[in-house]
Amino acid sequence: GGNASSAAFKLLQLDAALEVFPPTAEARVVDLCAAPGGWAQVAARRASAVVAVDIKPLAPIGRDGAACCEVARVVGDITAPDTLGATR
């Protein structure tokens, strides 16, 4: 499938230039303010675990054939203690 946002392409460019993600799939990623999900979608292709947090519900992300993992989606305010607990 295609990328969820144009920001996903920017993350792919950053990763190519700066190796944001390690060469192995052992990275764990938390994407804060994740909507519409483009960065989480890219992270799911390169990491072993991804949690996407946003105040708005996100569509399911991951397992698109290129993804290494499903993305756990958390709906909540990133400044709220309850949201932090939900990301663990």
Side-chain angles (χ1 to χ4, degrees):
N3 289 310
S5 72
S6 59
F9 291 108
K10 290 296 178 191
L11 182 55
L12 290 168
Q13 289 174 334
L14 284 170
D15 187 40
L18 303 174
E19 294 186 1
V20 173
F21 298 99
T24 64
E26 295 302 316
R28 289 185 249 170
V29 174
V30 177
D31 183 1
L32 302 176
C33 302
W39 281 39
Q41 182 183 44
V42 170
R45 296 177 187 159
R46 291 175 164 60
S48 60
V50 179
V51 177
V53 183
D54 202 280
I55 203 158
K56 297 186 247 179
L58 292 165
I61 302 166
R63 293 292 180 213
D64 63 0
C68 298
C69 66
E70 292 288 333
V71 175
R73 296 167 292 142
V74 175
V75 176
D77 180 343
I78 63 168
T79 64
D82 290 349
T83 303
L84 175 62
T87 63
R88 295 179 183 190

